[in-house]
Amino acid sequence: MDEFDAIMEKYGDRPLREHFGSLDEINQFAVQFYRDAAEIYDCLTRVKNRQRNPLGYSLDDAPIIGLLVRIWKLLKETIRYHTENNAEFIAIFQRTLLETAVTATYLLKHDATVLEDFRKCSYKDRLRILRDAKNGSAFSKTKAGQRLLRSVEKKMSLEGFSENDFAEQKKNKWKLQGKSFLEIFTEVYSEQGTAQITEQMYRCSFGIMSESVHCSWNDSMDWCLQRNEDGTFSIYPFFHPADIRYITPSYLSAMSPTHFGSNASKRMIGITRCSSIGLRRRIGTSI
C-alpha cells in the first residue's frame, strides 16, 4: 500500500539516534513514531485477503479483524490525549487496549470453535433482554426497549443462534472457554517468561489499570485529589500532564497480536494478507 511506503520513507535513511539533543526532541520523535505505528496498524486492517474473504469477512474472521480495528482506534486516541496532556484518560484507554490485544492474540492462536465461543459469550446480557421482554418488562414496551430488542434479535438471526444454543456458555459462567482473563493473559504471555513474571505483569498492568475503569480509592488519590499537609484532601480539578512513557506500554500491548507463535502468524496472513513478521519489520523494530 502507498500509505505504508509513505510512512516508511520517513525512517529509511535517517540515523534515528542522532540529533536528539534535548528531551523535547526525543518526545517529539516518539509521538510521531507512535502515531505512524498506529497509522500502519490501521492500514493493516484494510489489507484484506480477497481469496479468503472475497466480499466481507466471515464469522470466523470478523471477530479478530474487529478487535484489531479496536486496537488501532484506542492507540490513536491514546496518542491524541497525550498531545492534549491528559494522562488520566490515557490510563482508561490502556486497560481496554491491553484486554483487546490479549484477547485478539488468544483468538489468533485458536480455531473456529473458540471463535464461536467468543461470539456467544457476548450475548450474556442480550439474552437477559430477550427474557425480560418475554416476561413483560415495562422497558421492553417502550420505543427504546423495542429498538434494543429488534437489534438483539437481528444479531442472533444473522449468526443463526437461538436462545437454546448457549448451554456451554452458561456452564462456563460466560467466560471464554471457562477461563478467567488472568488465565488467558498467562497463556498468551507464557512464552515470554515464567509464570511468576507473568502474574507480576498482570498485577502491575491489567490489575491496576482496571481501577481506572471500575473506580477505586487509590485511583481517586492518583487523579482527582491532592493531599494537604494536615492529612486531609482537596479536590484536584485539572488533568495531569502525560509523560511519553505512558504511551510505550500501550504500544507494546498493541503489537502483541503480531508477535506470538506460528499459528497466530499464519492466521494473521490468512485474514489480512500481511505477515506478522513483515508488520514487525515495519513498525516494531524501526528504532
Side-chain angles (χ1 to χ4, degrees), residues 64-221:
I64 293 173
I65 201 69
L67 293 176
L68 297 180
V69 170
R70 181 181 176 86
I71 288 171
W72 65 251
K73 285 183 176 181
L74 288 167
L75 192 56
K76 286 186 177 183
E77 284 300 291
T78 299
I79 296 165
R80 181 170 75 87
Y81 275 93
H82 170 80
T83 61
E84 295 178 2
N85 251 342
N86 188 336
E88 186 172 346
F89 279 81
I90 291 176
I92 296 174
F93 292 139
Q94 281 180 324
R95 189 265 196 187
T96 307
L97 194 154
L98 175 62
E99 183 173 2
T100 305
V102 169
T103 302
T105 305
Y106 183 83
L107 294 179
L108 280 165
K109 297 171 69 175
H110 290 81
D111 59 18
T113 302
V114 178
L115 264 294
E116 181 177 309
D117 187 34
F118 172 74
R119 300 195 329 262
K120 285 185 173 180
C121 284
S122 70
Y123 282 94
K124 174 184 177 181
D125 292 306
R126 289 165 177 82
L127 288 177
R128 289 176 177 171
I129 292 171
L130 296 179
R131 186 167 61 248
D132 289 344
K134 287 184 177 181
N135 292 334
S137 71
F139 176 69
S140 67
K141 298 176 183 178
T142 65
K143 290 183 178 180
Q146 287 293 311
R147 287 195 299 269
L148 184 58
L149 182 62
R150 287 195 298 270
S151 174
V152 174
E153 290 173 340
K154 183 177 179 180
K155 288 179 178 179
M156 290 185 61
S157 176
L158 173 68
E159 301 202 53
F161 293 155
S162 73
E163 295 181 55
N164 300 318
D165 292 334
F166 298 87
E168 183 177 354
Q169 286 67 42
K170 292 176 181 178
K171 178 182 177 182
N172 290 332
K173 298 182 179 180
W174 299 97
K175 296 178 180 179
L176 181 58
Q177 291 195 294
K179 299 177 181 179
S180 67
F181 185 74
L182 173 58
E183 292 173 316
I184 293 174
F185 183 96
T186 302
E187 182 175 329
V188 166
Y189 283 100
S190 62
E191 301 171 11
Q192 292 199 348
T194 64
Q196 182 179 5
I197 294 175
T198 302
E199 289 190 16
Q200 290 174 354
M201 286 174 56
Y202 179 88
R203 287 195 295 271
C204 295
S205 55
F206 187 83
I208 292 179
M209 289 176 187
S210 295
E211 294 181 358
S212 64
V213 176
H214 301 297
C215 81
S216 77
W217 166 235
N218 267 275
D219 186 71
S220 293
M221 285 195 292

